[in-house]
């Protein structure tokens, strides 16, 4: 079905009497996030119908963004259902294109994800409009790292060829899609039709995140599990992932497939050190923040720091309205939190209580505290490519008493990527500033499991998966994971985008 509509329709009309050799019972095609970490989109074909799992945005340079415009070769009208694992845009950001592509069915997700998707997708549509308007008025955000010889003048980089940002869907299309959402409680089975069902297991990645488990009538194990993004049990914020059920095929993310758990030593210690640097010289700590996941991690660690007196004399600002929204969702569903935080909440405590934390909701408020002395400022966007973090960086980077705390993965060539590689200057919205601020890397804040943790999770069920398909990782990450599975005697594949993998169940 990934190649043609008629073939897809014939699988929907599957007849159990047809010899299996002529009609392989299942197939999986990764149409995105195959050899990369954005654009998640996989097709599961089963004897009881086909399901799209995730429909996320390709992110990165403008050329990547334009890949979002061209839909994968799928007969969307014949899909039995769409399933979304979590509310990060690289997994859900193309969902509002579905009605226009002919899909009319249900979009299954967890109840937690359903609470976030309206905000995330409406925000995505609004952002596309704003970016296009800014581009056409010649005001597109600019954030470029520059390296200059000592004593030399910073060379202003030549502007990239002007390419408009793509505009993918309207606010009305978002509302149409939101009406198609069908939330399921965690671990509860939802019938897709003709003997096919989906259920969600807690993934411990971000609020609401789940792995999607597909069951087919007559099969004594799951026919497929799509991991979505898997959280690290060592981050300590969310409940660890549910054990993997017995399954024929596991489609496993491998974002950090080449990283070991020992890469994440001491998140509280790292933060304590940089807070002390800032307190001792009345400086500013700038933390570029992803709204969903990283922001909650950092606020929780700041709450711990506050209890140890490490925020004395510092003001804390959360300059990311979506981050504040997602934080309040965790208050509503404490069962998603790790055990110590659940206990704290059950006793009436607030694991996210940072005394004096001020959430900001307008550009005017944001500008009024630009890189303010004796403060900690969490601001979006996490990649430092847009949003209020840009004006904080423009103000703060030239000042030696400022610290910028970065963690996780950044696109090559981005300002955050350059800051971690000692760029001497930065070009931000037409202004060239010297980088005199201290750049610090915080470890232990990733929402993704390490290689060891991924393998441990893959082995957490009553029996290992019969086969593993590796996606959502670079080719080197997937290769590292593949060799680990080979050592365990588990067959794995790392398909190129669009490669259809058939298997029996
Ligand atoms: Zn994610």
């Amino acid at each position: 079905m990934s190649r043609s509509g008629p073939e897809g329709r014939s699988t929907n009309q599957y007849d159990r009497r047809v010899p299996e050799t002529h009609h392989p019972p299942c197939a999986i095609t990764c149409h995105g996030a195959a050899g990369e970490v954005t654009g998640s989109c996989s097709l599961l074909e089963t004897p009881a119908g086909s399901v799209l799992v995730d429909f996320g945005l390709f992110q990165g340079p403008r050329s990547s963004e334009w890949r979002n415009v061209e839909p994968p070769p799928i007969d969307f009208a014949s899909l039995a259902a769409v399933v979304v694992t979590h509310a990060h845009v690289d997994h859900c950001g193309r969902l509002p294109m579905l009605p226009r592509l002919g899909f009319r069915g249900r979009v299954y997700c967890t109840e937690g994800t359903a609470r976030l998707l309206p905000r995330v997708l409406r925000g995505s549509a609004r952002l596309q409009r704003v970016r296009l308007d800014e581009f056409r008025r010649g005001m597109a955000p600019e954030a470029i790292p520059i390296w200059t010889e000592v004593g030399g003048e910073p060379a202003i980089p030549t502007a990239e060829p002007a390419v408009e940002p793509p505009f993918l869907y309207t606010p009305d299309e978002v509302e149409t899609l939101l009406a198609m959402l069908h939330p399921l409680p965690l671990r509860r089975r939802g019938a897709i039709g003709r003997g096919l069902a989906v259920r969600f297991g807690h993934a411990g990645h971000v609020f609401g995140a789940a792995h999607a488990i597909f069951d087919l009538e007559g099969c004594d194990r799951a026919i497929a599990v799509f991991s979505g993004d898997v959280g690290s049990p060592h981050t300590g914020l969310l409940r660890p992932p549910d054990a993997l059920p017995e399954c024929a095929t596991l489609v496993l993310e491998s974002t950090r497939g080449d990283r070991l758990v020992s890469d994440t030593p001491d998140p509280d210690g790292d933060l304590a050190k940089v807070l002390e640097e800032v307190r001792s010289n009345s400086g500013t700590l700038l933390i570029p923040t992803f709204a969903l996941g990283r922001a909650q991690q950092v606020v929780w660690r700041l709450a711990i720091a506050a209890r140890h007196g490490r925020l004395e004399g510092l003001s804390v600002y959360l300059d990311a309205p979506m981050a504040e929204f997602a934080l309040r969702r965790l208050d509503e569903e404490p069962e998603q939190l790790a055990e110590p935080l659940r206990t704290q909440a059950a006793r009436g405590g607030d694991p996210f209580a940072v005394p004096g934390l001020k959430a900001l909701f307008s550009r005017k408020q944001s500008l009024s505290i630009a890189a303010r002395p004796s403060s900690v400022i969490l601001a979006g966007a996490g990649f430092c490519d847009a949003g209020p973090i840009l004006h904080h960086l423009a103000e703060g980077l030239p000042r030696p008493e400022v610290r910028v705390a970065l963690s996780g993965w950044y696109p090559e060539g981005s300002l955050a990527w350059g800051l971690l590689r000692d760029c001497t200057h930065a070009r931000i919205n037409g202004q060239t500033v010297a980088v005199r601020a201290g750049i610090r890397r915080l470890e232990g804040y990733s929402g993704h499991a390490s290689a060891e943790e991924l393998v441990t999770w893959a082995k957490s069920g009553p029996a290992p998966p019969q086969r593993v398909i590796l996606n959502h990782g670079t080719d080197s990450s997937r290769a590292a994971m593949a060799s680990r599975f080979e050592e365990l005697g588990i067959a794995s594949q790392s398909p190129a985008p669009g490669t259809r993998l058939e298997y029996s169940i």
Side-chain angles (χ1 to χ4, degrees):
M1 170 164 162
S2 63
R3 293 296 170 202
S4 70
E7 188 188 345
R9 281 190 286 279
S10 73
T11 57
N12 278 341
Q13 301 302 315
Y14 181 80
D15 183 336
R16 285 171 188 271
R17 291 164 301 181
V18 175
E20 187 178 296
T21 47
H22 292 117
H23 293 269
C26 283
I28 289 173
T29 310
C30 296
H31 286 286
E36 57 188 320
V37 295
T38 65
S40 271
C41 170
S42 298
L43 182 71
L44 168 66
E45 296 170 66
T46 83
S50 296
V51 180
L52 189 72
V53 182
D54 286 340
F55 199 23
L57 291 175
F58 290 105
Q59 296 174 287
R62 194 55 49 85
S63 55
S64 281
E65 289 186 40
W66 274 95
R67 294 161 67 195
N68 294 313
V69 174
E70 185 64 35
I74 292 171
D75 181 2
F76 288 89
S78 75
L79 290 173
V82 172
V83 168
V84 58
T85 58
H86 65 290
H88 275 154
V89 289
D90 60 328
H91 290 258
C92 71
R94 280 187 286 171
L95 290 174
M97 298 167 74
L98 286 171
R100 203 187 327 146
L101 294 169
F103 178 67
R104 297 285 179 269
R106 287 175 171 177
V107 177
Y108 290 87
C109 62
T110 65
E111 292 175 320
T113 295
R115 288 195 177 93
L116 296 172
L117 281 177
R119 183 88 177 224
V120 170
L121 297 177
R122 286 171 187 151
S124 176
R126 189 168 51 245
L127 184 64
Q128 288 170 38
R129 181 79 256 166
V130 168
R131 290 175 71 211
L132 189 55
D133 288 346
E134 284 177 344
F135 179 88
R136 289 180 175 167
R137 286 187 283 129
M139 297 172 65
E142 182 187 39
I144 306 166
I146 302 170
W147 286 263
T148 307
E149 297 292 321
V150 177
E153 283 296 306
I156 309 263
T158 326
E160 285 197 7
V163 178
E164 275 199 353
F167 185 75
L168 302 171
Y169 42 80
T170 65
D172 285 348
E173 288 175 305
V174 171
E175 299 309 317
T176 303
L177 185 280
L178 292 176
M180 296 158 76
L181 289 185
H182 194 81
L184 287 175
L186 273 174
R187 306 169 195 105
R188 177 116 24 112
R189 194 166 278 160
I192 289 178
R194 292 184 57 112
L196 182 64
V198 65
R199 58 196 157 108
F200 291 107
H202 174 76
H205 168 59
V206 293
F207 176 79
H211 46 269
I213 305 158
F214 292 92
D215 298 307
L216 188 65
E217 208 171 270
C219 293
D220 55 3
R221 59 182 172 175
I223 57 167
V225 176
F226 289 76
S227 72
D229 288 344
V230 182
S232 165
H234 291 272
T235 53
L237 173 64
L238 296 178
R239 185 193 284 266
D242 287 357
L244 179 70
E246 190 173 351
C247 62
T249 296
L250 168 64
V251 180
L252 180 62
E253 69 119 328
S254 40
T255 313
R256 300 178 74 224
D258 52 1
R259 299 289 297 273
L260 304 175
V261 71
S262 54
D263 292 338
T264 58
D266 187 8
D268 285 323
D270 286 355
L271 184 61
K273 273 184 222 155
V274 70
L275 285 172
E276 185 48 38
E277 288 181 62
V278 170
R279 283 178 65 198
S280 62
N281 61 13
S282 304
T284 311
L285 175 57
L286 299 177
I287 309 181
T289 300
F290 297 99
L292 183 54
R294 184 71 47 79
Q296 291 77 46
Q297 280 279 340
V298 174
V299 171
W300 171 53
R301 297 282 180 191
L302 285 172
I304 295 171
R307 290 201 293 276
H308 289 87
R310 293 170 185 148
L311 293 180
E312 299 270 323
L314 296 176
S315 305
V316 182
Y317 300 97
L318 182 56
D319 193 2
M322 178 64 204
E324 199 271 343
F325 177 80
L327 198 58
R328 281 191 279 119
R329 303 288 80 71
L330 275 171
D331 289 341
E332 290 169 4
E333 282 196 48
E335 64 272 21
Q336 293 202 24
L337 297 171
E339 202 279 325
L341 286 82
R342 281 203 307 279
T343 305
Q344 191 182 350
R347 290 178 180 154
D350 178 1
F352 303 100
V354 177
L357 182 143
K358 191 167 191 300
L360 308 181
F361 297 96
S362 72
R363 181 164 170 77
K364 190 175 167 192
Q365 287 178 313
S366 174
L367 288 170
S368 74
I369 56 118
R372 176 173 287 184
S374 296
S375 68
V376 177
I377 300 173
L378 285 71
F383 283 149
C384 302
D385 56 352
I389 192 64
L390 290 187
H391 77 77
H392 291 298
L393 287 170
E395 182 76 22
L397 284 177
R399 294 175 11 202
E401 74 277 17
V402 169
R403 298 290 177 271
V404 182
L406 300 169
S407 54
W409 176 88
Y410 297 100
E412 188 171 337
S414 66
L415 178 55
W417 178 89
L419 289 171
L420 285 171
R421 286 157 183 79
D422 300 325
C423 65
T424 56
H425 293 75
R427 178 87 174 162
I428 299 174
N429 291 341
Q431 188 182 355
T432 302
V433 297
V435 179
R436 297 193 193 92
I439 311 299
R440 302 287 181 266
R441 180 184 265 284
L442 300 182
E443 297 289 358
Y445 289 78
S446 174
H448 288 272
S450 67
E452 281 171 12
E453 292 166 341
L454 286 169
V455 171
T456 300
W457 181 69
K459 293 192 300 178
S460 62
Q466 194 175 337
R467 70 187 64 72
V468 173
I469 296 174
L470 296 167
N471 76 344
H472 208 279
T474 61
D475 282 338
S476 66
S477 284
R478 295 199 296 176
M481 289 296 294
S483 59
R484 283 171 178 267
F485 281 113
E486 194 178 340
E487 284 168 19
L488 294 169
I490 300 172
S492 77
Q493 291 167 286
S494 300
T499 303
R500 186 174 182 273
L501 302 176
E502 296 177 352
Y503 64 98
S504 300
I505 46 176

